[in-house]
Amino acid sequence: MTIPLSVLQQEIRGCQKCAAAGFIPSANPLVLGQPGADIFLIGQAPSRTDNESGRFYEGPAGRKLRGWFLEAGFEESDFGTRIYAAAITKCFPGRNPGSSKDRVPSPAEQKLCRTWLDAELELVQPKALVLFGGLAIKTFLSKAPLEELIGQVFEKDDGRLYLPLPHSSGASTWLNSTHNQKLLADALVQLRKLHDAI
């Protein structure tokens, strides 16, 4: 028997797996979305700002990402309604030791959290996945260099469309290149096409 999305989200919010395993000091799993969302946005993990606000994509990089969606024709109100916001892991992983950069969740953490993400995808049944940053792109699309992926839309055997976007964090230097900025512009054209088609 399939459970309602609201029940799954309640179960996710109560998850303590990574804290119990000692990966993070405390768990604060985030969920943001409704049944029937056309687009499923997957990033790496919540930021410190997300952790404090209780909402996905509220930090500087997240606000820039939201700006890209607005450029492509979406409304701010689409986040959490038309756009289901998620990440490879649901909790803020903390900073790298001695650094202001967020830590990439370990493979073990990703595995612990993957069942939640798969369950969300199964219940939401989105038409398109927007993959935000290298970890999400490698996990769901390809390990090829970003330069070979950004600016294109891919259709996989599951019938869904996959649109990769680079990470917007100031810690990433990928967008410093003029060529890569052009690829981002191409990607936002593709995002607008998704907006208009779905």
Side-chain angles (χ1 to χ4, degrees), residues 145-162:
L146 291 185
E147 290 82 0
E148 296 178 15
L149 303 171
I150 303 298
Q152 303 178 69
V153 172
F154 301 85
E155 184 169 358
K156 294 178 69 174
D157 292 341
D158 60 8
R160 289 182 177 135
L161 300 175
Y162 290 74

mmCIF file with all atom_site columns, all heavy atoms in Angstrom, residues 145-162:
data_model
loop_
_atom_site.group_PDB
_atom_site.id
_atom_site.type_symbol
_atom_site.label_atom_id
_atom_site.label_alt_id
_atom_site.label_comp_id
_atom_site.label_asym_id
_atom_site.label_entity_id
_atom_site.label_seq_id
_atom_site.pdbx_PDB_ins_code
_atom_site.Cartn_x
_atom_site.Cartn_y
_atom_site.Cartn_z
_atom_site.occupancy
_atom_site.B_iso_or_equiv
_atom_site.pdbx_formal_charge
_atom_site.auth_seq_id
_atom_site.auth_comp_id
_atom_site.auth_asym_id
_atom_site.auth_atom_id
_atom_site.pdbx_PDB_model_num
ATOM 1   N N   . PRO A 1 145 ? 32.553 15.533 -17.487 1.00 0.00 ? 145 PRO A N   1
ATOM 2   C CA  . PRO A 1 145 ? 32.817 16.915 -17.078 1.00 0.00 ? 145 PRO A CA  1
ATOM 3   C C   . PRO A 1 145 ? 31.591 17.806 -17.294 1.00 0.00 ? 145 PRO A C   1
ATOM 4   O O   . PRO A 1 145 ? 30.815 17.599 -18.232 1.00 0.00 ? 145 PRO A O   1
ATOM 5   C CB  . PRO A 1 145 ? 33.964 17.349 -17.999 1.00 0.00 ? 145 PRO A CB  1
ATOM 6   C CG  . PRO A 1 145 ? 34.613 16.073 -18.430 1.00 0.00 ? 145 PRO A CG  1
ATOM 7   C CD  . PRO A 1 145 ? 33.517 15.056 -18.502 1.00 0.00 ? 145 PRO A CD  1
ATOM 8   N N   . LEU A 1 146 ? 31.432 18.789 -16.417 1.00 0.00 ? 146 LEU A N   1
ATOM 9   C CA  . LEU A 1 146 ? 30.272 19.691 -16.523 1.00 0.00 ? 146 LEU A CA  1
ATOM 10  C C   . LEU A 1 146 ? 30.196 20.357 -17.893 1.00 0.00 ? 146 LEU A C   1
ATOM 11  O O   . LEU A 1 146 ? 29.097 20.595 -18.411 1.00 0.00 ? 146 LEU A O   1
ATOM 12  C CB  . LEU A 1 146 ? 30.338 20.764 -15.427 1.00 0.00 ? 146 LEU A CB  1
ATOM 13  C CG  . LEU A 1 146 ? 30.132 20.322 -13.974 1.00 0.00 ? 146 LEU A CG  1
ATOM 14  C CD1 . LEU A 1 146 ? 30.121 21.538 -13.067 1.00 0.00 ? 146 LEU A CD1 1
ATOM 15  C CD2 . LEU A 1 146 ? 28.872 19.502 -13.815 1.00 0.00 ? 146 LEU A CD2 1
ATOM 16  N N   . GLU A 1 147 ? 31.362 20.635 -18.469 1.00 0.00 ? 147 GLU A N   1
ATOM 17  C CA  . GLU A 1 147 ? 31.377 21.319 -19.773 1.00 0.00 ? 147 GLU A CA  1
ATOM 18  C C   . GLU A 1 147 ? 30.686 20.494 -20.855 1.00 0.00 ? 147 GLU A C   1
ATOM 19  O O   . GLU A 1 147 ? 30.223 21.052 -21.862 1.00 0.00 ? 147 GLU A O   1
ATOM 20  C CB  . GLU A 1 147 ? 32.826 21.590 -20.200 1.00 0.00 ? 147 GLU A CB  1
ATOM 21  C CG  . GLU A 1 147 ? 33.541 22.640 -19.367 1.00 0.00 ? 147 GLU A CG  1
ATOM 22  C CD  . GLU A 1 147 ? 34.094 22.087 -18.059 1.00 0.00 ? 147 GLU A CD  1
ATOM 23  O OE1 . GLU A 1 147 ? 33.931 20.872 -17.793 1.00 0.00 ? 147 GLU A OE1 1
ATOM 24  O OE2 . GLU A 1 147 ? 34.673 22.881 -17.299 1.00 0.00 ? 147 GLU A OE2 1
ATOM 25  N N   . GLU A 1 148 ? 30.602 19.188 -20.664 1.00 0.00 ? 148 GLU A N   1
ATOM 26  C CA  . GLU A 1 148 ? 29.941 18.327 -21.642 1.00 0.00 ? 148 GLU A CA  1
ATOM 27  C C   . GLU A 1 148 ? 28.449 18.150 -21.358 1.00 0.00 ? 148 GLU A C   1
ATOM 28  O O   . GLU A 1 148 ? 27.735 17.552 -22.169 1.00 0.00 ? 148 GLU A O   1
ATOM 29  C CB  . GLU A 1 148 ? 30.620 16.952 -21.657 1.00 0.00 ? 148 GLU A CB  1
ATOM 30  C CG  . GLU A 1 148 ? 32.071 16.989 -22.105 1.00 0.00 ? 148 GLU A CG  1
ATOM 31  C CD  . GLU A 1 148 ? 32.721 15.620 -22.056 1.00 0.00 ? 148 GLU A CD  1
ATOM 32  O OE1 . GLU A 1 148 ? 31.992 14.603 -21.944 1.00 0.00 ? 148 GLU A OE1 1
ATOM 33  O OE2 . GLU A 1 148 ? 33.976 15.553 -22.130 1.00 0.00 ? 148 GLU A OE2 1
ATOM 34  N N   . LEU A 1 149 ? 27.971 18.676 -20.228 1.00 0.00 ? 149 LEU A N   1
ATOM 35  C CA  . LEU A 1 149 ? 26.597 18.423 -19.797 1.00 0.00 ? 149 LEU A CA  1
ATOM 36  C C   . LEU A 1 149 ? 25.742 19.681 -19.675 1.00 0.00 ? 149 LEU A C   1
ATOM 37  O O   . LEU A 1 149 ? 24.567 19.674 -20.069 1.00 0.00 ? 149 LEU A O   1
ATOM 38  C CB  . LEU A 1 149 ? 26.609 17.692 -18.438 1.00 0.00 ? 149 LEU A CB  1
ATOM 39  C CG  . LEU A 1 149 ? 27.369 16.357 -18.384 1.00 0.00 ? 149 LEU A CG  1
ATOM 40  C CD1 . LEU A 1 149 ? 27.469 15.874 -16.942 1.00 0.00 ? 149 LEU A CD1 1
ATOM 41  C CD2 . LEU A 1 149 ? 26.689 15.311 -19.250 1.00 0.00 ? 149 LEU A CD2 1
ATOM 42  N N   . ILE A 1 150 ? 26.328 20.734 -19.101 1.00 0.00 ? 150 ILE A N   1
ATOM 43  C CA  . ILE A 1 150 ? 25.560 21.958 -18.857 1.00 0.00 ? 150 ILE A CA  1
ATOM 44  C C   . ILE A 1 150 ? 25.123 22.573 -20.181 1.00 0.00 ? 150 ILE A C   1
ATOM 45  O O   . ILE A 1 150 ? 25.897 22.662 -21.134 1.00 0.00 ? 150 ILE A O   1
ATOM 46  C CB  . ILE A 1 150 ? 26.391 22.980 -18.054 1.00 0.00 ? 150 ILE A CB  1
ATOM 47  C CG1 . ILE A 1 150 ? 26.877 22.379 -16.730 1.00 0.00 ? 150 ILE A CG1 1
ATOM 48  C CG2 . ILE A 1 150 ? 25.581 24.255 -17.805 1.00 0.00 ? 150 ILE A CG2 1
ATOM 49  C CD1 . ILE A 1 150 ? 25.797 21.961 -15.780 1.00 0.00 ? 150 ILE A CD1 1
ATOM 50  N N   . GLY A 1 151 ? 23.878 23.000 -20.232 1.00 0.00 ? 151 GLY A N   1
ATOM 51  C CA  . GLY A 1 151 ? 23.321 23.604 -21.448 1.00 0.00 ? 151 GLY A CA  1
ATOM 52  C C   . GLY A 1 151 ? 22.463 22.648 -22.246 1.00 0.00 ? 151 GLY A C   1
ATOM 53  O O   . GLY A 1 151 ? 21.863 23.045 -23.252 1.00 0.00 ? 151 GLY A O   1
ATOM 54  N N   . GLN A 1 152 ? 22.384 21.391 -21.798 1.00 0.00 ? 152 GLN A N   1
ATOM 55  C CA  . GLN A 1 152 ? 21.600 20.385 -22.504 1.00 0.00 ? 152 GLN A CA  1
ATOM 56  C C   . GLN A 1 152 ? 20.532 19.787 -21.589 1.00 0.00 ? 152 GLN A C   1
ATOM 57  O O   . GLN A 1 152 ? 20.625 19.867 -20.373 1.00 0.00 ? 152 GLN A O   1
ATOM 58  C CB  . GLN A 1 152 ? 22.508 19.248 -22.993 1.00 0.00 ? 152 GLN A CB  1
ATOM 59  C CG  . GLN A 1 152 ? 23.649 19.688 -23.890 1.00 0.00 ? 152 GLN A CG  1
ATOM 60  C CD  . GLN A 1 152 ? 24.520 18.503 -24.270 1.00 0.00 ? 152 GLN A CD  1
ATOM 61  O OE1 . GLN A 1 152 ? 24.096 17.620 -25.017 1.00 0.00 ? 152 GLN A OE1 1
ATOM 62  N NE2 . GLN A 1 152 ? 25.733 18.464 -23.740 1.00 0.00 ? 152 GLN A NE2 1
ATOM 63  N N   . VAL A 1 153 ? 19.536 19.175 -22.218 1.00 0.00 ? 153 VAL A N   1
ATOM 64  C CA  . VAL A 1 153 ? 18.528 18.397 -21.504 1.00 0.00 ? 153 VAL A CA  1
ATOM 65  C C   . VAL A 1 153 ? 18.650 16.958 -21.978 1.00 0.00 ? 153 VAL A C   1
ATOM 66  O O   . VAL A 1 153 ? 18.839 16.701 -23.171 1.00 0.00 ? 153 VAL A O   1
ATOM 67  C CB  . VAL A 1 153 ? 17.102 18.924 -21.773 1.00 0.00 ? 153 VAL A CB  1
ATOM 68  C CG1 . VAL A 1 153 ? 16.060 17.983 -21.187 1.00 0.00 ? 153 VAL A CG1 1
ATOM 69  C CG2 . VAL A 1 153 ? 16.934 20.314 -21.179 1.00 0.00 ? 153 VAL A CG2 1
ATOM 70  N N   . PHE A 1 154 ? 18.573 16.041 -21.051 1.00 0.00 ? 154 PHE A N   1
ATOM 71  C CA  . PHE A 1 154 ? 18.724 14.618 -21.367 1.00 0.00 ? 154 PHE A CA  1
ATOM 72  C C   . PHE A 1 154 ? 17.443 13.879 -21.013 1.00 0.00 ? 154 PHE A C   1
ATOM 73  O O   . PHE A 1 154 ? 16.839 14.146 -19.980 1.00 0.00 ? 154 PHE A O   1
ATOM 74  C CB  . PHE A 1 154 ? 19.901 14.028 -20.579 1.00 0.00 ? 154 PHE A CB  1
ATOM 75  C CG  . PHE A 1 154 ? 21.213 14.708 -20.855 1.00 0.00 ? 154 PHE A CG  1
ATOM 76  C CD1 . PHE A 1 154 ? 21.564 15.863 -20.169 1.00 0.00 ? 154 PHE A CD1 1
ATOM 77  C CD2 . PHE A 1 154 ? 22.082 14.215 -21.807 1.00 0.00 ? 154 PHE A CD2 1
ATOM 78  C CE1 . PHE A 1 154 ? 22.769 16.510 -20.415 1.00 0.00 ? 154 PHE A CE1 1
ATOM 79  C CE2 . PHE A 1 154 ? 23.291 14.848 -22.070 1.00 0.00 ? 154 PHE A CE2 1
ATOM 80  C CZ  . PHE A 1 154 ? 23.631 15.989 -21.374 1.00 0.00 ? 154 PHE A CZ  1
ATOM 81  N N   . GLU A 1 155 ? 17.044 12.959 -21.882 1.00 0.00 ? 155 GLU A N   1
ATOM 82  C CA  . GLU A 1 155 ? 15.900 12.107 -21.580 1.00 0.00 ? 155 GLU A CA  1
ATOM 83  C C   . GLU A 1 155 ? 16.418 10.694 -21.335 1.00 0.00 ? 155 GLU A C   1
ATOM 84  O O   . GLU A 1 155 ? 17.131 10.125 -22.162 1.00 0.00 ? 155 GLU A O   1
ATOM 85  C CB  . GLU A 1 155 ? 14.883 12.104 -22.719 1.00 0.00 ? 155 GLU A CB  1
ATOM 86  C CG  . GLU A 1 155 ? 13.628 11.299 -22.365 1.00 0.00 ? 155 GLU A CG  1
ATOM 87  C CD  . GLU A 1 155 ? 12.501 11.491 -23.365 1.00 0.00 ? 155 GLU A CD  1
ATOM 88  O OE1 . GLU A 1 155 ? 12.671 12.284 -24.314 1.00 0.00 ? 155 GLU A OE1 1
ATOM 89  O OE2 . GLU A 1 155 ? 11.447 10.853 -23.186 1.00 0.00 ? 155 GLU A OE2 1
ATOM 90  N N   . LYS A 1 156 ? 16.061 10.126 -20.184 1.00 0.00 ? 156 LYS A N   1
ATOM 91  C CA  . LYS A 1 156 ? 16.528 8.793  -19.826 1.00 0.00 ? 156 LYS A CA  1
ATOM 92  C C   . LYS A 1 156 ? 15.418 7.774  -20.030 1.00 0.00 ? 156 LYS A C   1
ATOM 93  O O   . LYS A 1 156 ? 14.294 8.107  -20.395 1.00 0.00 ? 156 LYS A O   1
ATOM 94  C CB  . LYS A 1 156 ? 17.021 8.795  -18.379 1.00 0.00 ? 156 LYS A CB  1
ATOM 95  C CG  . LYS A 1 156 ? 18.281 9.667  -18.195 1.00 0.00 ? 156 LYS A CG  1
ATOM 96  C CD  . LYS A 1 156 ? 18.748 9.715  -16.767 1.00 0.00 ? 156 LYS A CD  1
ATOM 97  C CE  . LYS A 1 156 ? 19.310 8.406  -16.297 1.00 0.00 ? 156 LYS A CE  1
ATOM 98  N NZ  . LYS A 1 156 ? 19.887 8.502  -14.933 1.00 0.00 ? 156 LYS A NZ  1
ATOM 99  N N   . ASP A 1 157 ? 15.765 6.519  -19.782 1.00 0.00 ? 157 ASP A N   1
ATOM 100 C CA  . ASP A 1 157 ? 14.833 5.425  -20.046 1.00 0.00 ? 157 ASP A CA  1
ATOM 101 C C   . ASP A 1 157 ? 13.557 5.520  -19.226 1.00 0.00 ? 157 ASP A C   1
ATOM 102 O O   . ASP A 1 157 ? 12.536 4.927  -19.590 1.00 0.00 ? 157 ASP A O   1
ATOM 103 C CB  . ASP A 1 157 ? 15.517 4.073  -19.756 1.00 0.00 ? 157 ASP A CB  1
ATOM 104 C CG  . ASP A 1 157 ? 16.636 3.780  -20.746 1.00 0.00 ? 157 ASP A CG  1
ATOM 105 O OD1 . ASP A 1 157 ? 16.650 4.393  -21.825 1.00 0.00 ? 157 ASP A OD1 1
ATOM 106 O OD2 . ASP A 1 157 ? 17.497 2.930  -20.432 1.00 0.00 ? 157 ASP A OD2 1
ATOM 107 N N   . ASP A 1 158 ? 13.606 6.250  -18.105 1.00 0.00 ? 158 ASP A N   1
ATOM 108 C CA  . ASP A 1 158 ? 12.398 6.378  -17.284 1.00 0.00 ? 158 ASP A CA  1
ATOM 109 C C   . ASP A 1 158 ? 11.407 7.388  -17.862 1.00 0.00 ? 158 ASP A C   1
ATOM 110 O O   . ASP A 1 158 ? 10.346 7.621  -17.291 1.00 0.00 ? 158 ASP A O   1
ATOM 111 C CB  . ASP A 1 158 ? 12.759 6.758  -15.844 1.00 0.00 ? 158 ASP A CB  1
ATOM 112 C CG  . ASP A 1 158 ? 13.520 8.090  -15.747 1.00 0.00 ? 158 ASP A CG  1
ATOM 113 O OD1 . ASP A 1 158 ? 13.642 8.802  -16.764 1.00 0.00 ? 158 ASP A OD1 1
ATOM 114 O OD2 . ASP A 1 158 ? 14.004 8.406  -14.642 1.00 0.00 ? 158 ASP A OD2 1
ATOM 115 N N   . GLY A 1 159 ? 11.776 8.001  -19.014 1.00 0.00 ? 159 GLY A N   1
ATOM 116 C CA  . GLY A 1 159 ? 10.879 8.949  -19.657 1.00 0.00 ? 159 GLY A CA  1
ATOM 117 C C   . GLY A 1 159 ? 10.952 10.356 -19.100 1.00 0.00 ? 159 GLY A C   1
ATOM 118 O O   . GLY A 1 159 ? 10.287 11.265 -19.606 1.00 0.00 ? 159 GLY A O   1
ATOM 119 N N   . ARG A 1 160 ? 11.781 10.560 -18.078 1.00 0.00 ? 160 ARG A N   1
ATOM 120 C CA  . ARG A 1 160 ? 11.915 11.884 -17.483 1.00 0.00 ? 160 ARG A CA  1
ATOM 121 C C   . ARG A 1 160 ? 13.009 12.686 -18.178 1.00 0.00 ? 160 ARG A C   1
ATOM 122 O O   . ARG A 1 160 ? 13.944 12.134 -18.749 1.00 0.00 ? 160 ARG A O   1
ATOM 123 C CB  . ARG A 1 160 ? 12.256 11.773 -15.994 1.00 0.00 ? 160 ARG A CB  1
ATOM 124 C CG  . ARG A 1 160 ? 11.105 11.271 -15.145 1.00 0.00 ? 160 ARG A CG  1
ATOM 125 C CD  . ARG A 1 160 ? 11.508 11.242 -13.681 1.00 0.00 ? 160 ARG A CD  1
ATOM 126 N NE  . ARG A 1 160 ? 10.383 10.832 -12.864 1.00 0.00 ? 160 ARG A NE  1
ATOM 127 C CZ  . ARG A 1 160 ? 10.468 9.936  -11.884 1.00 0.00 ? 160 ARG A CZ  1
ATOM 128 N NH1 . ARG A 1 160 ? 11.624 9.367  -11.607 1.00 0.00 ? 160 ARG A NH1 1
ATOM 129 N NH2 . ARG A 1 160 ? 9.401  9.613  -11.184 1.00 0.00 ? 160 ARG A NH2 1
ATOM 130 N N   . LEU A 1 161 ? 12.877 14.002 -18.085 1.00 0.00 ? 161 LEU A N   1
ATOM 131 C CA  . LEU A 1 161 ? 13.901 14.910 -18.583 1.00 0.00 ? 161 LEU A CA  1
ATOM 132 C C   . LEU A 1 161 ? 14.842 15.271 -17.444 1.00 0.00 ? 161 LEU A C   1
ATOM 133 O O   . LEU A 1 161 ? 14.402 15.464 -16.302 1.00 0.00 ? 161 LEU A O   1
ATOM 134 C CB  . LEU A 1 161 ? 13.253 16.165 -19.157 1.00 0.00 ? 161 LEU A CB  1
ATOM 135 C CG  . LEU A 1 161 ? 12.278 15.948 -20.321 1.00 0.00 ? 161 LEU A CG  1
ATOM 136 C CD1 . LEU A 1 161 ? 11.620 17.258 -20.708 1.00 0.00 ? 161 LEU A CD1 1
ATOM 137 C CD2 . LEU A 1 161 ? 12.998 15.329 -21.517 1.00 0.00 ? 161 LEU A CD2 1
ATOM 138 N N   . TYR A 1 162 ? 16.129 15.377 -17.764 1.00 0.00 ? 162 TYR A N   1
ATOM 139 C CA  . TYR A 1 162 ? 17.146 15.702 -16.764 1.00 0.00 ? 162 TYR A CA  1
ATOM 140 C C   . TYR A 1 162 ? 17.905 16.940 -17.227 1.00 0.00 ? 162 TYR A C   1
ATOM 141 O O   . TYR A 1 162 ? 18.529 16.932 -18.283 1.00 0.00 ? 162 TYR A O   1
ATOM 142 C CB  . TYR A 1 162 ? 18.117 14.531 -16.581 1.00 0.00 ? 162 TYR A CB  1
ATOM 143 C CG  . TYR A 1 162 ? 17.495 13.337 -15.895 1.00 0.00 ? 162 TYR A CG  1
ATOM 144 C CD1 . TYR A 1 162 ? 16.589 12.508 -16.563 1.00 0.00 ? 162 TYR A CD1 1
ATOM 145 C CD2 . TYR A 1 162 ? 17.792 13.039 -14.571 1.00 0.00 ? 162 TYR A CD2 1
ATOM 146 C CE1 . TYR A 1 162 ? 16.009 11.416 -15.930 1.00 0.00 ? 162 TYR A CE1 1
ATOM 147 C CE2 . TYR A 1 162 ? 17.222 11.947 -13.932 1.00 0.00 ? 162 TYR A CE2 1
ATOM 148 C CZ  . TYR A 1 162 ? 16.331 11.143 -14.618 1.00 0.00 ? 162 TYR A CZ  1
ATOM 149 O OH  . TYR A 1 162 ? 15.758 10.066 -13.991 1.00 0.00 ? 162 TYR A OH  1
#
